[in-house]
């Protein structure tokens, strides 16, 4: 077994307990819809981050590749800090955001509304309200990505990974 396979095997053996089992990842990420009946604790935990906004769907993103990079980066910088932040993405750019870990340079709608980028990294907001206050898009046109992050000032894409997609 070469190093890349053993690295992936290691990551797959150390995934979060709440992830659904996947026999094989045939693409970089799998998306699982959450429901109040099947995933009540997780669903209501995520929904509570949105202050009573009408959430139409919450989905969990399972990407062992970005998660593995995040875990390696956390170990490398020996960080104990983790936070949850929000990244808004136009619904037309959702697949690109998931495939390329919020690389705003690839978004088709990146010039619309200013919610995507600062000079080097995607825009992450501490609260859902902060994100809403900085977008010109209708809430029904954006998806909010709930992102786990290692630092207030990310240096690489390894400093964060997408945990959930919230649609309104």
């Amino acid at each position: 077994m070469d190093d890349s396979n053993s690295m992936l095997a290691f990551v797959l053996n150390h995934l979060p307990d709440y992830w659904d089992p996947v026999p094989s990842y045939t693409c970089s990420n799998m998306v699982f819809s959450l429901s109040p009946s099947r995933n009540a604790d997780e669903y209501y935990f995520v929904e509570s981050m949105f202050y009573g906004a009408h959430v139409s769907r919450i989905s969990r993103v399972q990407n062992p590749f970005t998660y593995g990079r995040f875990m390696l980066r956390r170990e490398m910088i020996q960080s104990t800090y983790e936070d949850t932040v929000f990244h808004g993405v136009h619904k037309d750019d959702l697949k690109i955001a998931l495939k390329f870990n919020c690389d705003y340079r690839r978004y088709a709608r990146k010039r619309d509304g200013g919610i995507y980028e600062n000079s080097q990294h995607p825009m992450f907001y501490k609260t859902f309200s902060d994100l809403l206050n900085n977008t010109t898009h209708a809430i029904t046109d954006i998806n909010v990505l709930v992102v786990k992050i290692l630092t207030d000032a990310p240096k690489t894409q390894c400093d964060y990974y997408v945990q959930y997609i919230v649609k309104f």
Side-chain angles (χ1 to χ4, degrees):
M1 184 180 283
D2 68 26
D3 288 341
S4 64
N5 285 336
S6 37
M7 180 70 73
L8 180 58
F10 179 81
V11 170
L12 291 174
N13 286 327
H14 294 88
L15 296 175
D17 294 337
Y18 59 90
W19 280 19
D20 287 343
V22 175
S24 167
Y25 282 88
T26 55
C27 61
S28 62
N29 63 67
M30 304 289 285
V31 177
F32 294 89
S33 288
L34 301 182
S35 73
S37 59
R38 192 172 55 91
N39 319 87
D41 290 344
E42 186 179 12
Y43 182 91
Y44 291 121
F45 172 74
V46 175
E47 184 184 52
S48 73
M49 296 178 198
F50 293 89
Y51 312 111
H54 177 69
V55 172
S56 68
R57 173 179 276 167
I58 299 173
S59 302
R60 180 188 326 110
V61 177
Q62 295 185 191
N63 185 329
F65 306 101
T66 57
Y67 177 76
R69 291 187 329 186
F70 177 86
M71 298 306 287
L72 288 169
R73 177 79 171 152
R74 182 172 71 180
E75 184 68 25
M76 184 178 89
I77 65 174
Q78 298 182 353
S79 175
T80 56
Y81 175 86
E82 283 186 15
D83 201 4
T84 299
V85 294
F86 304 90
H87 176 63
V89 62
H90 193 277
K91 62 186 177 185
D92 295 345
D93 288 322
L94 178 61
K95 288 181 182 177
I96 293 167
L98 295 178
K99 182 175 181 177
F100 297 104
N101 201 29
C102 302
D103 185 347
Y104 66 87
R105 297 168 298 179
R106 297 175 182 265
Y107 296 169
R109 298 289 203 119
K110 68 182 176 182
R111 300 287 176 231
D112 297 346
I115 61 171
Y116 294 135
E117 64 199 86
N118 62 22
S119 60
Q120 297 176 339
H121 297 285
M123 289 297 293
F124 295 123
Y125 297 93
K126 293 278 188 187
T127 68
F128 174 57
S129 297
D130 289 344
L131 187 149
L132 285 180
N133 289 335
N134 286 287
T135 184
T136 58
H137 294 298
I139 194 169
T140 53
D141 287 341
I142 63 171
N143 292 288
V144 176
L145 305 181
V146 179
V147 178
K148 184 65 76 175
I149 194 165
L150 287 174
T151 176
D152 282 335
K155 290 186 174 37
T156 75
Q157 283 189 327
C158 300
D159 288 342
Y160 52 86
Y161 74 99
V162 177
Q163 290 184 295
Y164 299 99
I165 306 163
V166 178
K167 296 181 181 185
F168 302 91

